[in-house]
């Protein structure tokens, strides 16, 4: 059933008009390659794949939990890793938010982030990164650019360059390279 739950999560993260019941039925009856082809063929779809050591699905609560070495790859745009990941659906069985907890890292070609907890809100496309008790949330340019921002909470949106930081500490590269700042 773990493979089916992975397919279910892929469908929930990528198909806004597929409900949990329909996705579960398709996931249980299809193999991963066939499902990936079906999901990929829809034009509005962004593809996501989640892997973990363990997963649980509570249909009544509308929650899928992934635990242990969780990695979510989102349409090659970014990768998120964490100890645990919770996928929440709304009353209409559509994805509403994703919560990553414990040793969270978020990376793409441009930026690298780390924090104790991150929340993705599907409707707004917002990701909020939260600091842990003994550290801060960090977002830095990937590679050698050297720009970095730390804070108790960092908010950014997937479709824009806008970033908001609470209690910021900012490190700017003195070479003047373009990047985070």
């Amino acid at each position: 059933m773990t493979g089916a739950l992975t397919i279910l999560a892929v469908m929930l993260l990528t198909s806004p008009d597929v409900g949990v019941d329909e996705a579960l039925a398709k996931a249980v009856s299809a193999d991963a390659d066939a499902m990936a082809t079906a999901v990929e063929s829809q034009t509005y779809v962004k593809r996501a794949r989640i892997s973990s050591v363990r997963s649980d699905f509570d249909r009544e609560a509308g929650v899928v939990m992934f635990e242990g070495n969780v990695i979510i790859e989102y349409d090659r745009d970014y990768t998120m890793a964490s100890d645990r990941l919770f996928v929440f659906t709304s009353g209409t069985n559509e994805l509403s938010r994703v919560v990553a907890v414990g040793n969270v890292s978020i990376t793409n070609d441009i930026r690298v982030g780390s924090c104790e907890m991150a929340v993705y809100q599907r409707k707004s496309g917002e990701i909020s990164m939260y600091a842990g008790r003994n550290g801060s949330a960090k977002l830095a340019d990937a590679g050698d650019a050297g720009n970095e921002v730390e804070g108790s909470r960092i908010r950014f949106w997937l479709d824009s360059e806008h970033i908001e930081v609470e209690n910021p500490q900012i490190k700017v590269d003195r070479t003047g390279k373009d990047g985070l700042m």
Side-chain angles (χ1 to χ4, degrees):
M1 186 70 162
T2 299
L5 284 174
T6 300
I7 296 167
L8 169 66
V10 168
M11 291 189 70
L12 290 173
L13 289 169
T14 60
S15 304
D17 51 352
V18 173
V20 172
D21 293 337
E22 181 183 350
L24 184 59
K26 287 181 180 179
V28 170
S29 65
D31 66 28
D33 291 334
M35 184 58 64
T37 301
V39 169
E40 229 171 344
S41 68
Q42 300 178 30
T43 57
Y44 63 89
V45 167
K46 286 263 189 181
R47 185 179 169 147
R49 178 170 300 281
I50 301 173
S51 61
S52 67
V53 173
R54 180 176 172 271
S55 59
D56 288 315
F57 173 55
D58 184 336
R59 182 187 315 243
E60 187 175 328
V63 178
V64 183
M65 187 273 301
F66 297 89
E67 184 174 48
N69 299 321
V70 181
I71 299 174
I72 178 171
E73 296 170 329
Y74 187 70
D75 198 31
R76 299 184 188 142
D77 289 340
Y78 71 88
T79 300
M80 181 186 293
S82 64
D83 295 335
R84 281 189 168 166
L85 183 81
F86 298 89
V87 176
F88 293 89
T89 60
S90 67
T92 58
N93 290 332
E94 292 181 21
L95 175 74
S96 61
R97 73 182 188 278
V98 175
V99 178
V101 179
N103 299 306
V104 179
S105 68
I106 303 170
T107 59
N108 67 13
D109 292 338
I110 304 168
R111 295 188 185 97
V112 176
S114 63
C115 58
E116 187 57 30
M117 182 175 79
V119 178
Y120 167 64
Q121 300 287 346
R122 181 176 186 176
K123 190 172 186 175
S124 65
E126 174 189 337
I127 294 180
S128 294
M129 299 170 53
Y130 297 90
R133 292 182 187 156
N134 298 321
S136 57
K138 296 179 184 181
L139 190 60
D141 287 333
D144 298 329
N147 297 320
E148 181 177 284
V149 63
E150 295 184 32
S152 57
R153 177 180 175 193
I154 300 173
R155 297 172 59 201
F156 62 94
W157 290 261
L158 296 177
D159 62 351
S160 83
E161 292 294 315
H162 185 77
I163 299 171
E164 294 179 4
V165 183
E166 293 178 13
N167 304 310
Q169 294 181 4
I170 299 172
K171 175 183 160 188
V172 178
D173 177 26
R174 293 183 182 189
T175 64
K177 296 178 188 174
D178 287 338
L180 187 70
M181 305 301 151

